Structure formats: structure tokens, C-alpha cells
Amino acid sequence: MNADLRHAAVVALGELGRSHDYRDRADAGHGLAAFAEMQEALGPLLELVLDSGDTFVTRRTTEALLRRKDRVGLAIVASALAVANSNHSDWIHTAIVDVFSIFTSDRDNAIRLCEEMSQDTDNRVALGARQLHEVLAEIDPVLRTAWR
């Protein structure tokens, strides 16, 4: 893994995320989600999830973070959800349903991670994780895990 190139990619995507064009910001959010574990990506990702100019950016960035299906992506979404206004919350909710309404195992794993994060020392993450857990618990996925 080349840390210098990864850092350069995050910097470039962060710049794109400050574009006046919502399409550039949405692409930046989608791209930055791949680097969500990098500390320097956190601020730009939170800003894009809560984009003040266009909720398409919110949805695209949130969906990319959730498709990681890991604690890092869920924690960023939870942190944003804790402070989101009702409009952003609606689009975050839509992304959650879109990502986790297919496989029970994906939804169940996300619920387990949210339960862990609800005890996080960062109050914003903990609050958002509880809100995210509530949304996930309401989802009835289409495909269930078959047990033998």
C-alpha cells in the first residue's frame, strides 16, 4: 500500500468535494468512502454527508459509506445522523434502506456494529448509532440466510 498516493488521492477528492457543482461533490463523496479509514478523509466525508447544497450528495456519499459494511463507514454515517436536519435524515434513511434491505446477514451485522458503537466514547457516534440501529431494526430484508 502506498501511503503517499493514498494521501494524494484523499487530498484531490477533498478538493473535488468543495466544488460548486453537486455532481463533483457526489463523486468526491463516493470516492472518499473508499478511504474512510484515513483520518484526513473523515472531515470531508462528514461535510459531504451533510452537504448543504444538494441532498443527492448526501445520499450518494452515505450509500458509498454504508456499502463498505464496516464499522468505519457506519460510524461516519452515525456521526452525521446524530446532527442531521430532517431533510438530510430522510436521505440518510433512504440510503440505509437501499443498502440493507437485501441480505439479512448484512443488516444483522450492521445492527451488531451499531450496538457496539452505541457505547462509543464519542457521544455523537453513540447517539447516531442508536438512531441507525432503530432504522436497521425496521428493515425486513428480502433474502434471508438459510440455516441447515
Side-chain angles (χ1 to χ4, degrees):
M1 186 178 302
N2 188 319
D4 291 336
L5 287 177
R6 291 178 64 76
H7 176 75
V10 170
V11 169
L13 288 166
E15 286 293 320
L16 188 62
R18 289 188 286 281
S19 171
H20 293 293
D21 189 314
Y22 75 94
R23 295 169 294 195
D24 287 342
R25 295 193 312 276
D27 287 343
H30 184 264
L32 275 170
F35 301 96
E37 70 283 350
M38 295 177 64
Q39 188 62 37
E40 56 266 49
L42 179 60
L45 281 166
L46 284 170
E47 288 177 20
L48 292 166
V49 171
L50 299 171
D51 189 83
S52 61
D54 197 297
T55 52
F56 175 70
V57 178
T58 297
R59 182 170 179 185
R60 179 105 193 251
T61 304
T62 302
E63 193 170 300
L65 286 165
L66 295 172
R67 287 201 186 283
R68 290 174 56 99
K69 297 183 177 141
D70 65 3
R71 185 183 182 105
V72 172
L74 288 168
I76 294 169
V77 171
S79 185
L81 189 58
V83 297
N85 64 33
S86 62
N87 193 27
H88 285 101
S89 290
D90 287 347
W91 287 107
I92 293 169
H93 184 276
T94 298
I96 295 165
V97 171
D98 286 351
V99 171
F100 291 107
S101 63
I102 304 298
F103 296 105
T104 303
S105 58
D106 290 344
R107 193 244 4 233
D108 292 349
N109 186 54
I111 286 174
R112 183 185 56 75
L113 290 170
C114 285
E115 288 169 352
E116 292 172 10
M117 291 186 307
S118 70
Q119 304 303 314
D120 200 285
T121 57
D122 181 330
N123 290 335
R124 207 166 122 172
V125 171
L127 173 62
R130 288 189 290 275
Q131 293 172 335
L132 186 52
H133 184 281
E134 288 177 22
V135 175
L136 289 164
E138 293 176 0
I139 296 173
D140 184 22
V142 176
L143 300 174
R144 305 206 182 293
T145 305
W147 299 101
R148 292 180 191 212

